[in-house]
Amino acid sequence: MEQDKRLAATARLLEVMNTLRRECPWDREQTFDSLRSNTIEETYELADAITDHNMEGIKEELGDLLLHVVFYSKLGEEVGAFDFAEVADALCDKLIYRHPHVYGDIHANTPDQVKENWEALKLRKKNRKSGTLGGVPQSLPALVKAFRVGEKAAATGFDWPRREEVWDKVREEIGEVETEMKSGTPADLEAEFGDLLFALVNACRLYGVDPESALERTNKKFIRRFNYMEEQAAAQGQTLHELPLDRMEELWQEAKKSE
């Protein structure tokens, strides 16, 4: 019964897409290129809902993202390239191939072993000319890209033998940043800050922390506390610009305690 419900919902969605593509002036005009930016935006909206643990929001944003999958599949069908069934079947084939510990005779008892097998199988299927890092999308945000580059490099064995050793690299990069701050050019300083950030991203990876999620949590925390400061200042008929730094620090500490 549950399977019938899922199949019926999928069929309904595909039929709605057919109708919209045929009868809606906006939907008729869309192309792969025109939808691209909207797809990126929808992905970030889903990421926001996940960060907030908003289940209703996650459900809604998953629907919006699924619409884009169906839309692209319809566009592919119209030019004779692929359709939704081929997209789904290709995904199933990929998942089965990359889970030999489930569908084959390979053993993987830990999530790390599964991940290592996954990366090795991905590389085997890719064009060898692209290399280990060739599968990292160029348009990824820099922080996410740094994490994925580190992951893929580590899958080849290019990593610190002990995760604690990464802190030597972090300290080394801090020293190089400080050196460039004293006598370097802006371009050299930027390069050293980049090296430092890359080292910190690798530290996150080695300690099982998603740097994107970690930084977003801090962003939200800072915004929440800063908003509190502004609200308290406004309640006293002032703006933050009018407050001395020591008073702003007091409000900041109040915001921290109020959480």
Side-chain angles (χ1 to χ4, degrees):
M1 180 65 71
E2 190 65 28
Q3 183 178 4
D4 291 343
K5 180 180 178 182
R6 292 195 296 263
L7 291 174
T10 303
R12 182 186 179 206
L13 175 59
L14 294 173
E15 187 53 41
V16 167
M17 183 74 257
N18 289 339
T19 301
L20 293 177
R21 185 68 174 166
R22 186 174 59 248
E23 300 181 13
C24 174
W26 185 88
D27 288 287
R28 282 202 304 265
E29 290 184 353
Q30 300 314 304
T31 65
F32 286 101
D33 291 331
S34 70
L35 288 174
R36 179 180 179 275
S37 61
N38 287 340
T39 305
I40 294 171
E41 181 179 342
E42 295 295 353
T43 304
Y44 279 111
E45 289 179 0
L46 172 59
D48 283 345
I50 293 172
T51 299
D52 295 338
H53 299 285
N54 178 355
M55 292 300 155
E56 190 63 30
I58 292 172
K59 181 180 75 173
E60 179 179 351
E61 299 304 337
L62 282 172
D64 291 344
L65 203 53
L66 179 57
L67 168 62
H68 283 248
V69 173
V70 171
F71 211 143
Y72 288 122
S73 298
K74 180 62 178 176
L75 294 175
E77 178 184 336
E78 290 174 355
V79 297
F82 56 84
D83 61 16
F84 181 81
E86 291 174 289
V87 171
D89 279 335
L91 175 58
C92 290
D93 291 342
K94 181 190 295 185
L95 290 173
I96 292 169
Y97 172 75
R98 292 185 183 173
H99 289 79
H101 53 288
V102 176
Y103 295 97
D105 54 5
I106 301 297
H107 296 287
N109 298 318
T110 69
D112 286 342
Q113 289 175 336
V114 172
K115 201 166 189 179
E116 288 173 10
N117 289 340
W118 179 278
E119 292 295 344
L121 289 167
K122 282 175 67 176
L123 182 58
R124 193 179 304 165
K125 291 285 283 188
K126 295 283 186 183
N127 184 337
R128 302 294 292 188
K129 293 182 180 179
S130 68
T132 300
L133 305 181
V136 179
Q138 292 298 308
S139 58
L140 277 179
L143 193 64
V144 179
K145 186 189 292 185
F147 188 82
R148 290 295 292 132
V149 165
E151 273 189 325
K152 286 182 173 290
T156 70
F158 187 69
D159 206 359
W160 286 269
R162 296 167 48 251
R163 66 180 183 176
E164 294 82 4
E165 295 175 17
V166 72
W167 298 112
D168 292 333
K169 184 62 175 176
V170 171
R171 283 187 284 268
E172 174 190 330
E173 297 299 349
I174 290 174
E176 292 180 4
V177 167
E178 291 174 337
T179 297
E180 292 301 331
M181 288 175 64
K182 297 174 183 176
S183 57
T185 65
D188 290 337
L189 181 59
E190 179 184 59
E192 294 303 337
F193 266 115
D195 291 347
L196 174 57
L197 288 169
F198 191 79
L200 287 169
V201 168
N202 274 294
C204 287
R205 173 180 59 81
L206 289 165
Y207 282 85
V209 173
D210 179 349
E212 181 73 21
S213 296
L215 185 56
E216 181 57 15
R217 286 183 65 179
T218 296
N219 288 339
K220 289 180 179 293
K221 179 169 60 179
F222 182 90
I223 291 169
R224 187 169 60 248
R225 292 175 181 176
F226 194 85
N227 287 344
Y228 176 90
M229 293 168 58
E230 285 192 317
E231 290 165 2
Q232 294 303 308
Q236 301 169 17
Q238 295 177 298
T239 66
L240 289 181
H241 294 288
E242 299 172 302
L243 298 181
L245 189 57
D246 58 349
R247 177 54 182 154
M248 283 195 278
E249 178 61 25
E250 290 176 6
L251 291 176
W252 180 264
Q253 294 303 322
E254 286 180 18
K256 289 177 63 175
K257 291 178 181 177
S258 67
E259 294 179 342

